[in-house]
Amino acid sequence: MSLWTSLEPASATVDPGGSTTVRLRVRNTGDVVDEYRFEPVGDIAPWTTVEPQTLRIYPGTTGTVELRFAPPRTPDATVGPNPYAVRITPTEHPEATTVPEGTLTITPFTEIRTELVPPTVKGRFRGRPRLAVDNLGNTKLTASVSGSDNGDQLSYDIHPSNIQIEPGRAAFVKTTLKPRQIIWFGSKEERPYTLAVQRSGTVPLDVEGTYVQRGFLPGWLATFLGVFLALAITFVMLWIAYKPQVRSAATEKLQEAGVSTLPPSPSVSAPVPTPPAPTQAPEQSPPPANDGGGGGGGGGSEEKKESKAPEDTAADAVTRLAAEKSGRHICYRAYVEGDGWTDPACDGKTAGTVDKGKPIKKLNIAVSGTKGTAGSAFVHDPASTNGRGHYNAPWSGAPDGVDNYIGSRKKDAPDMLGFVINVGDGTNRICQTAHVRDEGWHGLGCDEPGSGEGFIFGGTLTNSLWLEAVRFTV
């Protein structure tokens, strides 16, 4: 053996996002000058640097190198003791390789991120937002979720109300908002509310949203009924109050003479006239199809934005398919970086590219027989401090047979990481599967009618990945 080592100290502690240094002393116990190479090994090797990486030591002398540990402030920095090691390889005697080992203790930290999807919901009797909670710390997150508003105007049905999330994972909390009083007549009213994520011994993390409560009947109808009722009451009161006193002089004379004024009973009943047939009201045009999602622009505005798109859009494809085959259909195409728009694909076929490293920038979707569709894009966030993307635009919706667009194909537009989508305002079933860079095809996910979901998410939340291809069925 021609080598002696010593770690000073053998055990160290470091905070995620910080750094600490350990000194490694090496003594050449051989009889020749030797050069030693130092290489970190083990699970925390990516966060370890050695200075210098090589050291030339004369016989009987000692050299020193410094090991610097800098774990990131991410869930990958596993809390607690973590073993580490350094492989020391002598140039003259490679068979005498030595691997001294030590222990690095990483301290715990907690960091969570919350987001309402969508932040604004609309409805007459209820709203169904979802709260996304990401555990960005390196310890398990245990918290409770509660709702509140100014004036106690809403009730909250939260499921689950208590959550446990492993480091680096996310959970969705389903929330049903119900107004305590129904607006029978009048315009819509905005009711701000707050969902609080409470961890034991800490200040609650508040997430603010808005519930837009619509009136059951429009305000003009209430005015019309009020005026009509007032006129009806006035007419009845005038009719009751007005009693004309008419007396006939001829009748008085006959009464004085004792002659009856009653006519004799007729021998044949007079026929009853037939009433006129009621006039049929003209048919009213049906209301426009529901845009299928909580807020956001419809397909019409997107068609203006896409005036330069290829003629064969998703709406063209779904219209042709619906003419050939009845039932529900969905067609879609992807704008791929460097390639442009793909041809429309329908009912489970693939749109995009697979294993070519080309991200999707924008999706064009159209449906038939589902009462419309709506969606929103989850995109790369260059300002992220936690490695996650974000939603950069409100929902966009379109009725049956009309193009809907999510994402952007402008210059320097962010890559799409994922999406949320529904059909028929969440009352119809839609399924999706997404192909993500380095992860391949994800499992099939569906938004089942009546489940309370309202939409389905597909893709990834991670900034370093991106969406490459999609498949949809309805």
Side-chain angles (χ1 to χ4, degrees):
M1 187 70 179
S2 63
L3 184 63
W4 171 87
T5 63
S6 175
L7 287 170
E8 300 175 356
S11 298
T13 301
V14 64
D15 296 327
S19 64
T20 189
T21 301
V22 173
R23 179 175 298 176
L24 174 60
R25 299 178 61 196
V26 181
R27 182 177 180 84
N28 184 355
T29 60
D31 53 4
V32 296
V33 178
D34 209 340
E35 185 177 69
Y36 301 92
R37 296 192 307 272
F38 301 90
E39 178 186 4
V41 294
D43 293 338
I44 64 174
W47 314 326
T48 308
T49 57
V50 182
E51 289 293 338
Q53 296 181 349
T54 60
L55 197 63
R56 189 176 181 86
I57 305 176
Y58 287 89
T61 62
T62 302
T64 302
V65 297
E66 287 189 348
L67 308 180
R68 183 175 181 272
F69 304 99
R73 190 177 175 83
T74 66
D76 297 331
T78 305
V79 66
N82 292 265
Y84 69 89
V86 179
R87 181 186 294 118
I88 306 174
T89 305
T91 302
E92 296 296 332
H93 300 281
E95 71 282 358
T97 298
T98 303
V99 184
E101 298 179 354
T103 302
L104 179 68
T105 300
I106 298 178
T107 60
F109 78 96
T110 301
E111 182 177 346
I112 62 175
R113 184 184 67 178
T114 57
E115 183 175 7
L116 273 174
V117 183
T120 300
V121 291
K122 301 178 181 179
R124 292 180 175 86
F125 304 109
R126 64 181 56 84
R128 292 190 177 97
R130 298 181 74 190
L131 178 64
V133 183
D134 293 293
N135 183 5
L136 306 180
N138 62 353
T139 59
K140 179 186 288 188
L141 171 65
T142 300
S144 61
V145 182
S146 60
S148 62
D149 59 274
N150 187 16
D152 195 25
Q153 298 173 331
L154 302 172
S155 65
Y156 304 86
D157 183 10
I158 300 174
H159 181 75
S161 58
N162 295 288
I163 55 175
Q164 287 188 344
I165 309 175
E166 296 294 332
R169 299 291 183 178
F172 282 94
V173 178
K174 303 174 188 176
T175 304
T176 300
L177 310 174
K178 293 182 180 179
R180 298 189 184 277
Q181 293 184 347
I182 298 175
I183 302 177
W184 294 106
F185 298 97
S187 59
K188 60 187 179 182
E189 294 185 11
E190 292 188 356
R191 305 195 184 282
Y193 67 94
T194 301
L195 295 182
V197 180
Q198 175 69 65
R199 293 182 294 116
S200 177
T202 62
V203 177
L205 178 61
D206 294 337
V207 187
E208 296 181 351
T210 303
Y211 171 61
V212 180
Q213 184 180 359
R214 295 168 172 164
F216 186 75
L217 296 175
W220 64 265
L221 182 58
T223 304
F224 172 78
L225 292 177
V227 173
F228 178 79
L229 182 61
L231 291 175
I233 294 174
T234 302
F235 177 78
V236 172
M237 295 300 294
L238 290 175
W239 178 265
I240 294 174
Y242 180 69
K243 294 182 179 179
Q245 302 292 328
V246 179
R247 296 181 62 84
S248 172
T251 302
E252 292 176 354
K253 294 295 183 181
L254 289 173
Q255 290 176 348
E256 292 176 0
V259 179
S260 174
T261 61
L262 295 175
S265 300
S267 58
V268 180
S269 298
V272 179
T274 304
T279 303
Q280 186 174 4
E283 293 187 1
Q284 305 239 347
S285 300
N290 196 322
D291 64 5
S301 62
E302 290 293 345
E303 286 183 294
K304 294 180 182 179
K305 297 178 183 177
E306 292 295 323
S307 59
K308 296 183 180 180
E311 293 185 358
D312 194 15
T313 66
D316 298 329
V318 83
T319 301
R320 293 194 300 268
L321 186 58
E324 298 172 359
K325 185 177 180 181
S326 62
R328 300 191 303 175
H329 302 284
I330 182 169
C331 292
Y332 40 92
R333 57 188 183 131
Y335 189 88
V336 180
E337 184 177 52
D339 292 349
W341 285 109
T342 64
D343 293 332
C346 300
D347 295 343
K349 301 297 176 56
T350 300
T353 60
V354 176
D355 295 333
K356 293 185 178 180
K358 296 182 178 181
I360 290 177
K361 294 288 189 177
K362 192 169 188 175
L363 289 176
N364 170 208
I365 305 169
V367 294
S368 174
T370 69
K371 299 181 181 179
T373 181
S376 181
F378 191 82
V379 300
H380 178 88
D381 183 6
S384 174
T385 59
N386 52 32
R388 300 290 191 270
H390 69 133
Y391 292 96
N392 67 337
W395 282 57
S396 172
D400 282 0
V402 177
D403 285 311
N404 188 28
Y405 295 86
I406 59 175
S408 175
R409 62 188 183 94
K410 294 181 180 179
K411 184 179 180 181
D412 299 328
D415 301 337
M416 283 188 63
L417 308 182
F419 54 84
V420 286
I421 189 171
N422 68 13
V423 290
D425 200 12
T427 60
N428 284 324
R429 183 173 186 262
I430 183 171
C431 296
Q432 60 76 33
T433 180
H435 190 281
V436 176
R437 171 184 177 257
D438 293 340
E439 294 184 353
W441 286 105
H442 285 193
L444 183 68
C446 300
D447 176 26
E448 297 291 346
S451 65
E453 292 284 344
F455 57 86
I456 188 70
F457 177 86
T460 179
L461 300 174
T462 305
N463 249 342
S464 60
L465 305 178
W466 56 67
L467 192 66
E468 292 187 334
V470 294
R471 295 171 182 165
F472 296 106
T473 57
V474 293

